[in-house]
Amino acid sequence: MALSLDFLALPLLVAAALVFVSVLAGVVSARAGFSFLLVFLLAGILAGEDGPGGLVFNDFRLSFWVGNIALAVILLDGGLRTDFDTFRTGLKPSLLLATLGVVLSAGITGAAARWLLDLSWPMALLVGAIVGSTDAAAVFALLKSSGVRLNERVAATLEIESGMNDPMAVYLTLALIGVALAATTAGAGAGLSALEVLRSLALQFGWGAALGLGAGFAMAELLKRLGRGEDGGGGIRALLLVSGGLTVFAATTWLGGSGFLAVYAMGVIVGNRARRLVRSTLSAMDSYAWLSQAGMFLLLGLLATPSQLLPTLLPGLGVSLVLMLVARPLAVALCLVPLRFPPREIAFISWVGLRGAVPIVLAMFPLMAGVPGAQTFFNVAFVVVLTSLLLQGSTIAWSARRLGLALPAPDDLQANRLVFGDFVIDGATPMDSLCSFYGLPVPPDAPTDVATWMREELRRPAVEGDSAMLGAAELSVRALEGGRITRVGIRLG
């Protein structure tokens, strides 16, 4: 009797065909301005129980496992592409948004969920915690595919925030699950002490940072010792990086730390300390990251059952709108106004608070923990993600251009003149010479050169595209070198 391999062939046929069709549809939809990730998610829904595909899939544990692995690979890829120079402008605002910003977003959204979903405070705040953080998969993928060039401060803030805010979101979700279970258990309700809260938070960030940085330095040294050699090129090194990153992710999670933070930190260190060796792996890493995103969003789409989403659709849309239009903007403004971010940058960062796979993965925590009514959390998270990808993900390029944040390509001379003005001077040009030549007023107590005047006028780390007014002229940062302003554009009013 011949051995039948239907158990292998049929699932593989379905899975491969689904990915192929989704990628093809994604390429077409991306040209029309729709989010690539949204197509994967919708393809999963259409293939699922309520769609034409009719596939019944409800394995939350498998989805949780796959989702975590995929996010780890995506964060590793993002870390490898993050330049140390971006931390000069992006680290402080990102840390604020990844900690205080997540708490504020979760609290405001939780208050809305209490009213819209008629939940108790622990349950409502749990909803806020689940959807309170931005998503690395969505941010990395959609900023890259948008085709828009942002200034370093905005791009770095969004990318580093998305790579660092998962520990706070995971911590808040787990802590509030404990509170919710305690509140529904007879005789319980003591909750968590302040000491336990601080200890848990310190473990998440402490182990995540320590193991991630340590593994990053070790992996960088290993790559240098191995050298280029005849090792099969970047593909083998990419596989080494992925397996090492997943090892660090798993070990850190097992020790009670944030595996997400660890794998991102590892990627940043390796990408900067072994830059030439890592550069040849980026093409392969890009393929791993896209495969992870495709598989993860398809699987999460299969989990969704639209007929079950309908009862919570309108409240879920309400939660999503409060998050996008109230909670996120308030949290971003409170974090970034003290750092002297311009209003247009605050508006853009507020709008591009993309939600993706992370809220759906976090929504599986209460399901697996047996929290009463946990299916509602999953449904609401799904509505929030769909709304975010549809509205925010498809308008990144438009909003950047609308707010005047899209920088021209360096070789586009006409666009550069429109943005920076017709005249370019050296940053070391004396201020009195500049003002005398263009007939501009000399500022009182003006420093000796233009670059120093601009730095003092901005009162924040300068990035390309920053501008300041000098009389009727607008001076713009045209080029930097090592954080120092080297060229300045002038537009005369």
Side-chain angles (χ1 to χ4, degrees):
M1 182 176 178
L3 176 64
S4 174
L5 294 179
D6 287 352
F7 72 95
L8 169 65
L10 290 178
L12 181 59
L13 174 63
V14 172
L18 189 56
V19 172
F20 179 82
V21 171
S22 301
V23 172
L24 186 61
V27 171
V28 175
S29 67
R31 293 175 181 173
F34 289 101
S35 164
F36 208 105
L37 301 180
L38 180 63
V39 173
F40 291 131
L41 201 62
L42 292 177
I45 294 174
L46 292 173
E49 185 176 350
D50 282 358
L55 297 176
V56 179
F57 180 80
N58 57 5
D59 193 335
F60 286 96
R61 288 188 177 275
L62 174 62
S63 302
F64 180 77
W65 189 80
V66 171
N68 275 272
I69 292 175
L71 285 170
V73 173
I74 293 162
L75 282 165
L76 175 64
D77 178 64
L80 290 171
R81 300 170 192 274
T82 301
D83 201 329
F84 272 152
D85 289 342
T86 64
F87 281 85
R88 175 181 64 90
T89 54
L91 183 59
K92 186 184 293 185
S94 298
L95 277 174
L96 277 174
L97 290 173
T99 51
L100 178 61
V102 172
V103 173
L104 290 172
S105 291
I108 297 170
T109 307
R114 174 172 167 77
W115 175 63
L116 291 166
L117 295 165
D118 193 24
L119 298 172
S120 64
W121 272 113
M123 297 291 194
L125 290 174
L126 179 55
V127 172
I130 288 170
V131 301
S133 68
T134 60
D135 180 66
V139 171
F140 291 152
L142 296 180
L143 284 182
K144 186 189 303 182
S145 64
S146 69
V148 69
R149 180 170 171 252
L150 299 170
N151 74 45
E152 181 184 294
R153 179 172 49 248
V154 173
T157 298
L158 286 168
E159 292 178 1
I160 298 173
E161 176 204 4
S162 69
M164 297 179 69
N165 65 12
D166 291 325
M168 179 60 78
V170 171
Y171 162 72
L172 286 176
T173 300
L174 293 176
L176 288 165
I177 285 174
V179 173
L181 288 174
T184 57
T185 302
L192 298 172
S193 68
L195 185 60
E196 289 173 321
V197 169
L198 292 175
R199 179 178 177 276
S200 176
L201 195 57
L203 281 174
Q204 284 279 319
F205 282 91
W207 277 120
L211 292 180
L213 294 174
F217 283 110
M219 180 62 77
E221 290 304 312
L222 176 62
L223 290 178
K224 290 177 183 177
R225 289 183 180 275
L226 292 175
R228 292 185 180 274
E230 298 298 327
D231 58 359
I236 294 295
R237 285 192 292 275
L239 187 58
L240 184 67
L241 285 168
V242 169
S243 58
L246 291 177
T247 300
V248 172
F249 173 81
T252 306
T253 303
W254 182 57
L255 290 171
S258 170
F260 296 122
L261 177 59
V263 75
Y264 179 72
M266 173 187 164
V268 172
I269 297 298
V270 176
N272 284 272
R273 290 188 62 85
R275 187 184 301 275
R276 285 186 298 174
L277 292 168
V278 167
R279 190 176 295 124
S280 64
T281 72
L282 293 180
S283 178
M285 287 299 306
D286 194 49
S287 298
Y288 288 139
W290 274 110
L291 179 61
S292 298
Q293 288 170 140
M296 176 174 57
F297 278 87
L298 279 171
L299 203 60
L300 296 177
L302 281 171
L303 277 178
T305 307
S307 59
Q308 294 180 3
L309 292 175
L310 290 177
T312 55
L313 179 60
L314 289 179
L317 286 173
V319 169
S320 183
L321 291 175
V322 169
L323 175 61
M324 287 192 296
L325 303 178
V326 181
R328 171 73 177 177
L330 278 176
V332 170
L334 289 172
C335 291
L336 300 187
V337 165
L339 300 180
R340 297 185 58 80
F341 270 62
R344 59 180 183 168
E345 293 183 2
I346 291 175
F348 184 78
I349 293 171
S350 298
W351 181 244
V352 190
L354 297 166
R355 267 63 187 176
V358 169
I360 300 177
V361 171
L362 291 180
M364 297 180 196
F365 280 50
L367 278 166
M368 295 188 296
V371 175
Q375 185 64 45
T376 298
F377 304 148
F378 182 85
N379 294 342
V380 170
F382 211 93
V383 172
V384 168
V385 170
L386 278 174
T387 309
S388 179
L389 292 178
L390 184 61
L391 296 180
Q392 296 173 307
S394 60
T395 57
I396 291 177
W398 175 85
S399 57
R401 288 191 292 266
R402 186 74 175 177
L403 291 167
L405 294 177
L407 294 178
D411 57 351
D412 190 337
L413 299 180
Q414 183 176 357
N416 273 278
R417 284 196 297 270
L418 289 174
V419 173
F420 298 110
D422 292 319
F423 308 103
V424 182
I425 62 170
D426 192 282
T429 302
M431 279 297 293
D432 54 357
S433 299
L434 170 74
C435 295
S436 174
F437 185 83
Y438 288 104
L440 300 173
V442 180
D445 302 321
T448 56
D449 59 81
V450 177
T452 304
W453 176 82
M454 288 209 69
R455 188 173 63 249
E456 292 179 357
E457 192 73 11
L458 293 171
R459 288 190 285 174
R460 59 174 181 263
V463 297
E464 183 182 351
D466 271 341
S467 63
M469 296 301 296
L470 178 60
E474 181 183 15
L475 274 60
S476 304
V477 177
R478 183 77 180 262
L480 296 100
E481 191 173 304
R484 183 175 58 88
I485 300 172
T486 56
R487 289 194 299 161
V488 175
I490 301 177
R491 183 197 307 277
L492 298 177

